[in-house]
Amino acid sequence: MTTSGELERVLFLCRGSVHDGLGHVIRTRTVARLMSAYVQVRIAVIGDLTTRTFLNDQGLAFEVLDEESEVQRVLSRYRPQIVVVDLMTLSEDIFKAVRSQAVIVCLSPIFSHLKSVDIVFNRARLPQPLSTDGHGPLIRSGPEYIVISSNCTPISEQRYQNNLFREPMAVAICMGGTDSNNKTKRILTALREIPRKLLFWVLLGEGYPHSYQELIDGMKGNGHHEIILAKTHNSMWRVLGECSVAILAGGITTYEAAYAGLPSINALETPDHLFLIQDLIDRGACVLGGVSSEASTEAIVSHLVRLEQHRQELLEMHRRSRGFIDAYGTRRIVEDILESYPNLLAARA
């Protein structure tokens, strides 16, 4: 392991692909961009070329790795003193190789080696302690450590009210940058049965692998709804800023929505992920749309029908989200890493 107390090189290691999604890449990009103002930074993405769209023209050195075994080569060549990981899994051998060389910082709320990293940053309070003997990682958790993309801007109350009471009400559907399971199609098909006319903005990321035509066909049989398919990247929040409510997957975008003041209905993959948005549910900034495919679809329809008929409730959700999240989470993370590095290094000597 590098023993110099002078921090010079930081490697960001994440996953991003059509299969894994792109949220980790976007968060990594945001933190790496600020970190690069202080030290030398490089990003290594385990994934596919889809990720290049999010990293090109960012002024950051990066490479895309086909296999995680290539991480060994990057470590040998770059010799980082800190590795910032933003992924959910990593093999035991590769993790040991990283740990033998560098201090490990984790940005992902779910990681297979979370108990063995040096410091964890998490947007939500962890559901259980990572250590019972005091020898686990340092934990920095809570809304003050939420990473908000620079493209996400708050929606003023006046603007939100103007949009909220227009007809038809605009509803965004965003199931992530890839949506490999095509939850978008399942949700759209269910929403076509809602009797009141709605305007659906369907946001599809760079990695969306399914047929656009199938989404349009899924709405056939109920012609009173309007549907707009939008392939978005940096302009996502220009669209979301004009909507009254968003149907989301409970990831980073759910927190960005709360920061912006956009109420959301969230469909989760598993009950284990509920803790990630529990603070926002308790705050009243978003609602849960279920945790299984069938249950979540039924709950989403039920919530949306109710909220469309009682739009004042959406306005209250918009107001309750105000002030809960600020735009300084990224800076807090970077400053904490820089300040903590000497002590973390000494603790491992």
Side-chain angles (χ1 to χ4, degrees):
M1 178 174 172
T2 305
T3 57
S4 170
E6 184 79 20
L7 179 59
E8 299 174 347
R9 295 175 305 281
V10 175
L11 174 69
F12 285 79
L13 177 63
C14 63
R15 286 189 192 273
S17 66
V18 170
H19 175 72
D20 296 305
L22 300 166
H24 296 280
V25 177
I26 296 171
R27 180 167 51 204
T28 291
R29 178 188 68 182
T30 302
V31 180
R33 198 159 46 194
L34 182 56
M35 179 70 80
S36 68
Y38 302 95
V39 295
Q40 184 180 339
V41 164
R42 187 170 188 84
I43 298 175
V45 183
I46 304 168
D48 58 34
L49 297 182
T50 306
T51 59
R52 289 188 176 275
T53 302
F54 296 86
L55 295 175
N56 284 330
D57 305 320
Q58 296 293 317
L60 296 168
F62 74 93
E63 57 190 302
V64 179
L65 312 179
D66 293 328
E67 304 288 342
E68 69 173 39
S69 59
E70 296 179 53
V71 173
Q72 299 260 28
R73 170 179 55 80
V74 178
L75 292 172
S76 299
R77 188 179 72 248
Y78 188 59
R79 297 181 294 109
Q81 295 150 292
I82 290 179
V83 175
V84 181
V85 296
D86 197 343
L87 31 67
M88 296 176 68
T89 62
L90 199 60
S91 71
E92 187 71 30
D93 289 345
I94 298 300
F95 180 78
K96 287 180 178 179
V98 174
R99 184 163 177 77
S100 69
Q101 181 166 331
V103 167
I104 304 179
V105 175
C106 184
L107 300 181
S108 177
I110 300 170
F111 179 47
S112 55
H113 303 282
L114 201 60
K115 295 181 179 181
S116 300
V117 304
D118 294 290
I119 184 168
V120 175
F121 292 96
N122 200 321
R123 63 182 182 264
R125 310 294 176 184
L126 296 174
Q128 55 189 18
L130 296 179
S131 172
T132 56
D133 59 7
H135 296 295
L138 294 178
I139 298 174
R140 307 284 191 262
S141 64
E144 62 268 36
Y145 294 106
I146 296 169
V147 175
I148 300 295
S149 168
S150 60
N151 299 314
C152 177
T153 55
I155 305 166
S156 70
E157 183 169 328
Q158 185 61 58
R159 179 186 176 193
Y160 184 74
Q161 285 197 68
N162 290 341
N163 291 330
L164 179 60
F165 295 104
R166 294 173 66 183
E167 298 294 346
M169 190 175 79
V171 179
I173 301 173
C174 182
M175 291 292 107
T178 59
D179 187 16
S180 58
N181 294 325
N182 210 4
K183 290 182 287 186
T184 301
K185 179 183 176 183
R186 188 186 73 243
I187 290 169
L188 260 181
T189 301
L191 294 178
R192 72 182 180 182
E193 303 303 327
I194 293 178
R196 290 271 292 177
K197 182 178 181 179
L198 295 168
L199 168 60
F200 293 109
W201 281 92
V202 184
L203 279 63
L204 305 170
E206 287 286 336
Y208 184 74
H210 310 289
S211 167
Y212 282 33
Q213 187 60 47
E214 286 186 4
L215 294 178
I216 296 173
D217 292 342
M219 292 297 286
K220 289 181 178 178
N222 196 330
H224 64 277
H225 295 308
E226 297 181 47
I227 176 173
I228 302 172
L229 306 184
K231 181 181 179 182
T232 59
H233 176 26
N234 290 327
S235 299
M236 182 177 76
W237 274 101
R238 292 181 63 179
V239 175
L240 289 176
E242 299 301 316
C243 295
S244 298
V245 63
I247 299 172
L248 305 174
I252 296 172
T253 307
T254 297
Y255 273 85
E256 290 191 339
Y259 168 73
L262 177 64
S264 64
I265 304 168
N266 292 269
L268 304 183
E269 287 285 344
T270 167
D272 293 340
H273 293 177
L274 179 58
F275 81 96
L276 294 173
I277 63 170
Q278 190 64 59
D279 285 346
L280 297 181
I281 294 172
D282 294 343
R283 177 87 177 187
C286 75
V287 295
L288 176 64
V291 293
S292 67
S293 297
E294 185 175 343
S296 64
T297 302
E298 293 176 357
I300 288 169
V301 173
S302 176
H303 282 304
L304 190 54
V305 168
R306 187 190 80 255
L307 292 170
E308 194 278 336
Q309 294 174 347
H310 301 88
R311 300 191 193 184
Q312 190 66 31
E313 188 175 339
L314 284 170
L315 181 58
E316 290 304 314
M317 291 174 70
H318 164 81
R319 289 169 174 165
R320 283 194 291 268
S321 68
R322 190 176 299 163
F324 183 60
I325 301 168
D326 63 30
Y328 304 109
T330 302
R331 181 163 296 280
R332 291 189 188 98
I333 290 172
V334 169
E335 291 178 349
D336 203 322
I337 292 172
L338 296 174
E339 292 172 4
S340 300
Y341 173 67
N343 290 335
L344 293 173
L345 187 65
R348 294 182 57 182

